[in-house]
Amino acid sequence: SSNMDDDSSWRFRKQLLLVDENLVAEEVAALKFLCTDLLPFGKLENVKSALDIFQLLMAEDYLNEEDNFILAELLYRIKCHSLLRKLGYSKEKVQECLPEKGRVSLYRQMLFELSENITSEMLKEAVFLLQKRLPKQQVTPSALELMILLEKQGLLTDSNVQVLEELCVNVSPDLLEIVDCYKKAKAPRLPNVQTHTVLVKGTWLLTFCLFLLSVSLPQQENTLPIKESSLSHTGGVRVLANSQVHWTFFLSFIQSMTSYKMDGPHRGFCLVINNVEFDGSLPERKGSCKDAGELERVFTWLGLDVRIYKNKTSREIKELLESWQHFPGHKDRDCFVCCILSHGESGAIYGKDEVLVSIRTIMSHFTARQCPQLAEKPKLFFIQACQGKEIQQPVPIEADAHVPNVPSTQQSVSPSESIPEEADFLLGMATVDGFVSFRHIQQGAWYIQALCSKLELLVPRGEDILSILTEVNEDVSRRVDRLGTKKQMPQPAYTLRRKVIFPIPKEPSPS
């Protein structure tokens, strides 16, 4: 029994060590912040590593061999989802357990989410506004450090977030929504309405929706089906009219709170990088110009300014993305779209010079830190390229993969690993990792043609982009080559916080 206990303790501590080794300084700071309400503040201040935090959690009996959920929750909240496997958890399993076992307070979650959405420019403005209310700093604090400073000064508590509201109004009014969500979720519960005490994404919205329903519906005696004649002309009609007004407000509130803003003066830019010809042994991508033309037509119809770039080397692709990363015009746009058509391998696409560029590198140009003009706005990437070895195909079907005599040094990379671990990204891949994607040499790629077709069909119906991509999956999965032997399945990955719903164009789609 003693040996078994020793083995269990060894495995547990080895797990903690593995997690510690995989965390960078910023992630340790995030863990430290999320534990502020759980651990003595004096001891937390001396923390230098994740192992120090684990020792404190064990000392307070939050973490032990039998129950490591607190660590799983913390990793989940800082979006280190890949480390959950080391603890025997998945992202879905943590989400399932949070309502019952979650320890991080609503207040601490709200502060952390707010810090995640504060760009470096916003932070500078906030520090400037608070200059006279904070102790003098030699260096600009991080967003998390700023929250701690405000708490130390007594300016910020779980029951008084006025200073945050003032900052949001002056620095970025959109951030007010995060604070408002917290206040609504923290508000006293309504009679007969049960809500979780842990702020799982979307729970606050359910609480508020139930509140709206409670005030919008007629009084209890009028909730059963009744004939119009049985209502008094003055009382009954007024109740129903008020109910209709509240219900209309409720529906418009749901739409605005669950969708990204798409009502600005300009929709956004759409880049199409179309590599057709290559410098070495990779074959010409016949039919790709058809895809580029379709993307230009459909996204122009959706209100985006489309820019097409043809046959770019790996270096030119990076330089192009850097120039768009620093483009000031994003500030007045609702979103950003980038489509890349090329040959590819797992987690990467080929430049014209047959040098690979990782998809993660491409997308990382547009994180909130690298491109603050696009912070909190949806960034959509669509990749038409193989993610595995070429399979010999009869004409007119070709595969967007490298030829067999080009050696592969790529390790397998899934779409979820390609996407940056921060909010507001969507990556639409033509195929699952390790497999080829198909392109008709006259009609274009299966994936791009299905994407354009479904956008034209479903945007006018008010469908969001994830619902549209589900239909794209269905469409492509039903296609086969002329011999009936080759199939394809696209795969989206995303960190979107809301629905992406393109406004319905005033004009019909030009076909």
Side-chain angles (χ1 to χ4, degrees):
S1 176
S2 176
N3 288 338
M4 288 179 64
D5 289 344
D6 288 345
D7 288 345
S8 176
S9 176
W10 173 264
R11 282 195 303 271
F12 172 62
R13 291 182 180 276
K14 189 176 179 182
Q15 280 181 336
L16 300 185
L17 194 60
L18 283 171
V19 172
D20 172 75
E21 289 170 351
N22 282 277
L23 293 174
V24 298
E26 285 183 359
E27 291 162 341
V28 173
L31 289 181
K32 181 176 171 180
F33 180 82
L34 289 172
C35 289
T36 303
D37 301 326
L38 304 174
L39 301 172
F41 191 76
K43 292 182 180 179
L44 260 183
E45 279 193 307
N46 298 320
V47 159
K48 303 295 182 188
S49 69
L51 284 179
D52 292 341
I53 299 174
F54 303 158
Q55 290 282 13
L56 291 174
L57 288 170
M58 287 189 283
E60 297 291 326
D61 206 28
Y62 286 114
L63 178 64
N64 54 58
E65 297 164 34
E66 287 76 33
D67 186 3
N68 62 1
F69 183 77
I70 181 63
L71 182 52
E73 179 188 2
L74 292 170
L75 293 175
Y76 169 80
R77 297 206 182 281
I78 67 171
K79 300 185 177 70
C80 286
H81 301 142
S82 58
L83 294 180
L84 292 174
R85 291 195 295 270
K86 298 184 187 300
L87 303 177
Y89 281 93
S90 65
K91 180 180 171 182
E92 292 72 26
K93 181 65 176 175
V94 174
Q95 289 172 335
E96 184 184 321
C97 296
L98 274 175
E100 182 183 346
K101 301 184 71 175
R103 294 278 194 168
V104 181
S105 67
L106 288 174
Y107 169 66
R108 197 58 50 185
Q109 291 174 52
M110 179 271 293
L111 295 183
F112 182 70
E113 184 179 353
L114 201 60
S115 74
E116 289 285 275
N117 285 277
I118 294 175
T119 65
S120 55
E121 287 302 313
M122 292 178 197
L123 184 59
K124 286 178 186 176
E125 292 177 22
V127 171
F128 178 78
L129 290 169
L130 293 165
Q131 213 163 31
K132 292 188 176 180
R133 304 168 77 177
L134 296 174
K136 288 186 178 180
Q137 299 287 311
Q138 297 297 320
V139 294
T140 303
S142 68
L144 292 178
E145 288 168 342
L146 178 62
M147 303 292 182
I148 294 293
L149 281 173
L150 290 171
E151 288 183 300
K152 281 184 175 179
Q153 298 298 112
L155 298 171
L156 177 62
T157 66
D158 62 345
S159 58
N160 181 13
V161 292
Q162 186 177 347
V163 67
L164 292 183
E165 292 174 303
E166 291 172 0
L167 283 176
C168 291
V169 167
N170 287 284
V171 171
S172 178
D174 286 348
L175 294 180
L176 263 177
E177 183 191 328
I178 297 172
V179 184
D180 288 342
C181 294
Y182 164 70
K183 290 173 70 177
K184 292 181 180 95
K186 190 175 181 294
R189 283 190 277 178
L190 297 166
N192 303 321
V193 176
Q194 294 185 358
T195 57
H196 292 309
T197 57
V198 177
L199 181 61
V200 181
K201 202 173 212 178
T203 304
W204 65 269
L205 184 58
L206 175 60
T207 309
F208 190 52
C209 291
L210 289 170
F211 167 71
L212 282 176
L213 279 171
S214 73
V215 298
S216 68
L217 291 173
Q219 296 301 308
Q220 188 166 353
E221 60 267 26
N222 291 333
T223 55
L224 295 174
I226 48 177
K227 295 179 182 179
E228 187 178 350
S229 58
S230 67
L231 292 170
S232 71
H233 183 69
T234 54
V237 173
R238 188 182 69 252
V239 168
L240 290 175
N242 285 343
S243 172
Q244 185 62 41
V245 169
H246 284 304
W247 184 249
T248 302
F249 170 75
F250 170 73
L251 292 176
S252 63
F253 172 82
I254 292 299
Q255 175 76 11
S256 64
M257 286 291 98
T258 60
S259 305
Y260 287 97
K261 291 183 178 179
M262 284 286 194
D263 56 1
H266 306 287
R267 191 72 58 242
F269 287 97
C270 171
L271 312 186
V272 179
I273 299 173
N274 180 27
N275 281 352
V276 180
E277 297 160 340
F278 298 82
D279 296 338
S281 56
L282 289 174
E284 178 184 349
R285 298 184 61 258
K286 296 176 182 177
S288 190
C289 289
K290 165 82 171 173
D291 291 332
E294 283 293 286
L295 289 168
E296 180 180 24
R297 181 180 64 81
V298 171
F299 280 109
T300 299
W301 171 64
L302 291 175
L304 287 95
D305 298 315
V306 181
R307 302 286 189 271
I308 295 184
Y309 303 92
K310 191 174 178 182
N311 295 335
K312 295 295 178 183
T313 64
S314 56
R315 181 176 178 178
E316 288 171 337
I317 290 172
K318 291 175 184 175
E319 289 174 348
L320 178 67
L321 295 172
E322 283 175 12
S323 67
W324 278 100
Q325 168 189 328
H326 297 108
F327 180 67
H330 291 310
K331 184 177 183 181
D332 301 320
R333 266 72 181 180
D334 296 326
C335 66
F336 175 75
V337 178
C338 180
C339 308
I340 299 181
L341 318 174
S342 188
H343 287 297
E345 286 198 30
S346 180
I349 58 97
Y350 279 106
K352 181 180 183 292
D353 54 353
E354 303 194 0
V355 174
L356 287 167
V357 182
S358 81
I359 294 168
R360 189 176 183 87
T361 296
I362 290 168
M363 299 179 74
S364 65
H365 284 88
F366 301 96
T367 61
R369 180 170 296 177
Q370 297 296 327
C371 185
Q373 306 277 16
L374 285 173
E376 302 177 45
K377 299 176 183 179
K379 294 161 278 282
L380 316 180
F381 291 78
F382 300 100
I383 309 293
Q384 168 56 44
C386 281
Q387 293 296 286
K389 303 289 185 182
E390 179 184 10
I391 298 174
Q392 186 64 41
Q393 295 293 337
V395 176
I397 300 296
E398 293 184 350
D400 272 335
H402 66 78
V403 291
N405 61 356
V406 177
S408 172
T409 57
Q410 286 290 104
Q411 292 183 335
S412 177
V413 181
S414 70
S416 60
E417 291 173 305
S418 293
I419 197 167
E421 283 193 349
E422 68 164 68
D424 310 315
F425 278 93
L426 177 139
L427 172 60
M429 299 292 296
T431 184
V432 294
D433 184 50
F435 288 84
V436 297
S437 59
F438 300 115
R439 171 178 34 82
H440 192 287
I441 62 173
Q442 293 172 331
Q443 297 172 6
W446 292 358
Y447 176 66
I448 297 298
Q449 295 303 310
L451 174 64
C452 292
S453 170
K454 295 302 180 183
L455 284 169
E456 285 184 278
L457 176 67
L458 299 175
V459 166
R461 298 182 187 176
E463 296 280 1
D464 70 286
I465 192 66
L466 293 180
S467 299
I468 292 172
L469 289 180
T470 301
E471 291 294 322
V472 171
N473 279 11
E474 172 70 10
D475 185 315
V476 174
S477 70
R478 289 179 178 273
R479 301 190 186 208
V480 293
D481 71 317
R482 64 179 185 175
L483 299 179
T485 58
K486 310 299 180 194
K487 295 180 74 69
Q488 178 181 330
M489 174 55 75
Q491 183 177 9
Y494 60 93
T495 59
L496 298 174
R497 294 174 294 122
R498 304 176 186 171
K499 291 183 178 182
V500 178
I501 302 176
F502 287 104
I504 300 172
K506 295 177 181 178
E507 301 295 328
S509 170
S511 50

